Amino acid sequence: MSGFGGLVDEIDARFSAGPKAALLVEEALRLVSGYPGGVSGFVRRLKAAGYTLEAASWLGGGDLVPLSGNEVEEILGCEAMARFAARAEVSQSFARTTLGYAIPNIVSLLAQRGALPARIRVS
């Protein structure tokens, strides 16, 4: 996959998202980068919630460990999931599932582009 365009294609192919794939990736990117403290704050939240190994896989350039839909909702909360689903114009169930795949890819892409300080990248 190359960049965010590749992620859109991957979301479409994997989840049959059609034209919503671009909106899902856009909203997921907004969610991660708009988190309090930005991408770094989002990664810290993951680690605090016990997802250190998952986050480390996203920052290390290896195989990305996805999140389950339940894990996504646990991390973000029900209200954030409802807002995301409404903005992306999909059901909450579909939003949870696609975010479980999209979030690791987005964090990895942002890390590759230098959006995270080095001290955050270390597990």
Side-chain angles (χ1 to χ4, degrees):
M1 171 184 5
S2 75
F4 290 101
L7 180 56
V8 170
D9 294 341
E10 187 78 20
I11 294 287
D12 180 24
R14 185 174 287 264
F15 300 103
S16 301
K20 296 220 186 257
L23 182 57
L24 284 161
V25 171
E26 179 182 318
E27 289 299 328
L29 178 59
R30 182 175 294 142
L31 185 138
V32 170
S33 61
Y35 200 83
V39 182
S40 297
F42 187 79
V43 171
R44 281 192 292 273
R45 168 69 182 111
L46 286 164
K47 290 179 177 182
Y51 296 96
T52 302
L53 294 175
E54 290 83 347
S57 81
W58 310 342
L59 303 173
D63 291 334
L64 306 179
V65 177
L67 298 169
S68 73
N70 289 337
E71 290 170 333
V72 170
E73 190 163 44
E74 176 186 325
I75 293 163
L76 299 176
C78 293
E79 289 180 30
M81 283 305 313
R83 284 191 305 272
F84 175 86
R87 284 194 307 265
E89 301 172 0
V90 297
S91 71
Q92 280 188 250
S93 175
F94 190 74
R96 284 191 301 268
T97 301
T98 55
L99 276 174
Y101 182 80
I103 286 172
N105 285 280
I106 287 171
V107 171
S108 177
L109 287 167
L110 292 172
Q112 290 170 22
R113 295 173 181 206
L116 292 165
R119 69 179 186 279
I120 295 296
R121 291 186 191 180
V122 177
S123 61

